[in-house]
Amino acid sequence: MIRPYPESLTATALLGTARSTTPLSGLHTATAATALDGEPAPTLLAAAALESVFLAGASAPTTVAIPAPAPDDPRPLLPAAAAARLRSLLVVDSPLLPEWFDAAAGFRSPPEMLVEVLGAAVRPTPHRERLVALAGPRGQWLAARNPDWAALRDPDPSDDEDWRHGTPAVRRRWFAALRRSDPAAATSRLSAAWRSENADSRAALVSELAVGIGPDDEPLLEQALDDRSRRVRQAAAGLLRQLPHSAYGQRMTRRLREWIEVADGVVTVALPDRLDDAAGRDGLDDRTARRPDVVLTLAVQAAPLSVWPEIGVTPEDLPHLTVAEPFRSELEHAWSAAVAAQRDPAWAVALLRREGTVAAPVAAHLPRDVVVAHLLATPDGVLPDASLPRGRTT
């Protein structure tokens, strides 16, 4: 930035040194300027040069309070080899970064690497949250001292200044922080501001309710199902599918009772040719209705597992039942999704006995004794998670 010369020098230059005396006492560089010797015009130019250099490269001393030391981070230090690996992965934005972050969970960044980690986090990246987590409390201490890293700081949920006056991104980060600390307060805040938010903000803020989702969120999500924005409706329906005992889940339960029949060990699915308006409101709209497999999957995921014994499918029966085409694979996939979401060990065991293997989200809810017995009974060491490598276990 080019700084202007003092008005005294400018006035003298405009009037000319023959008509005006060069004033030097008011300059920052007065001591050096008054020592200049020569004709008035060269003296003016030299004084201007001195003042220009001072204004461009010098500053008056100020007193700054020494900040409190950075807080301790009790997590173990990231090994040097892992830190070097992270550097190389960040350079090429490697698709292996998610796997690296999974393996490094619970470690802290080396102090000498904090600037690199925060620099990578402030750039556009899908890994921002995990980089900030790696930097930890010392990264927050550094971010508070660099305006360029302000977006990486954890908002203070007790101070709603960001919520009232921040940009959409800043408001969302503040809302997410409030949601983590006090889910009920976040829901209440969004309910109060609902009508004043635009569609993009409503959709973004509703998605943050996924953290700590519970029955208290149901009234707001039901209201969002009537929103004019399709994105808002989809976000609300996706969260309501995580509340199987809600009114939404009960509506899906009634549909499954109408669509599914069990007779002579065969499960038959008969979807209606046309869905009604109520189904459309619940996220089974015209676009979804063109894919009957999607309609079935969404309904099964949203309904509580307790509906299946009423239909005729119990965990004990599941391994022996046959699902009629064309919905066999879709129904089995939907069962897995429902079991993983509802964390039901009995149904997880039933799926394992039905298929002989289950995906990781279902395997996470298998009782330990069942996993051990399954491994011991499997000669080739097939693991209960089909996504893991196969081979003999030791």
Side-chain angles (χ1 to χ4, degrees), residues 86-390:
L86 175 60
R87 284 192 177 99
S88 62
L89 294 176
L90 287 173
V91 167
V92 297
D93 193 21
S94 171
L96 296 177
L97 278 167
E99 182 179 342
W100 187 95
F101 283 117
D102 288 342
F107 286 86
R108 62 181 171 92
S109 169
E112 66 275 10
M113 196 177 174
L114 281 173
V115 172
E116 294 178 63
V117 172
L118 295 175
V122 80
R123 295 191 292 270
T125 172
H127 310 297
R128 170 176 291 186
E129 296 300 325
R130 305 192 79 170
L131 287 165
V132 171
L134 179 66
R138 293 185 174 183
Q140 290 295 308
W141 186 89
L142 276 179
R145 284 151 183 81
N146 185 345
D148 292 340
W149 294 340
L152 305 180
R153 296 181 60 187
D154 290 334
D156 180 3
S158 65
D159 181 357
D160 66 354
E161 182 70 15
D162 286 346
W163 172 256
R164 292 187 293 113
H165 302 297
T167 64
V170 169
R171 295 180 74 244
R172 181 173 181 177
R173 291 187 71 249
W174 183 89
F175 183 80
L178 178 63
R179 182 66 181 181
R180 291 191 296 269
S181 62
D182 190 343
T187 301
S188 176
R189 179 73 67 138
L190 181 54
S191 297
W194 187 259
R195 295 185 180 278
S196 62
E197 301 290 338
N198 61 37
D200 288 341
S201 293
R202 291 197 302 273
L205 295 172
V206 162
S207 67
E208 297 295 343
L209 299 181
V211 176
I213 185 74
D216 291 342
D217 302 310
E218 185 179 351
L220 178 59
L221 294 175
E222 283 285 344
Q223 177 184 348
L225 289 179
D226 295 315
D227 199 271
R228 290 176 296 176
S229 168
R230 176 179 172 83
R231 287 181 55 210
V232 175
R233 297 195 303 271
Q234 288 179 327
L239 292 180
L240 284 167
R241 283 193 286 274
Q242 300 180 38
L243 300 175
H245 299 290
S246 64
Y248 184 90
Q250 296 306 312
R251 295 195 294 272
M252 292 299 183
T253 294
R254 290 193 293 271
R255 293 183 180 108
L256 291 180
R257 290 194 185 109
E258 297 173 358
W259 299 347
I260 296 177
E261 181 180 352
V262 180
D264 300 325
V266 178
V267 181
T268 303
V269 179
L271 299 180
D273 294 331
R274 183 179 181 280
L275 297 175
D276 56 22
D277 292 341
R281 178 180 181 271
D282 284 340
L284 308 179
D285 54 19
D286 290 339
R287 298 183 188 182
T288 305
R290 298 170 192 168
R291 292 282 307 276
D293 56 327
V294 175
V295 171
L296 177 63
T297 299
L298 295 179
V300 173
Q301 290 177 353
L305 289 167
S306 58
V307 68
W308 289 99
E310 301 173 16
I311 294 174
V313 180
T314 66
E316 294 75 20
D317 296 333
L318 187 63
H320 315 294
L321 292 174
T322 300
V323 179
E325 295 292 357
F327 294 110
R328 182 182 62 80
S329 61
E330 287 77 8
L331 183 53
E332 291 175 347
H333 171 75
W335 274 331
S336 295
V339 170
Q342 298 178 42
R343 305 178 181 183
D344 192 301
W347 281 92
V349 171
L351 287 175
L352 177 62
R353 290 174 177 166
R354 177 180 177 82
E355 301 293 334
T357 183
V358 290
V362 175
H365 305 296
L366 288 169
R368 182 179 295 273
D369 60 333
V370 173
V371 175
V372 172
H374 180 81
L375 291 174
L376 292 176
T378 307
D380 62 353
V382 176
L383 298 174
D385 175 7
S387 67
L388 295 176
R390 296 191 180 194

Side-chain angles (χ1 to χ4, degrees), residues 33-100:
T34 54
L36 295 171
D37 187 22
E39 295 295 324
T43 299
L44 173 63
L45 293 176
L50 284 172
E51 191 71 4
S52 177
V53 170
F54 177 88
L55 292 175
S59 60
T62 58
T63 301
V64 178
I66 298 176
D72 291 332
D73 189 339
R75 297 176 299 173
L77 187 66
L78 191 68
R85 182 63 171 165
L86 175 60
R87 284 192 177 99
S88 62
L89 294 176
L90 287 173
V91 167
V92 297
D93 193 21
S94 171
L96 296 177
L97 278 167
E99 182 179 342
W100 187 95

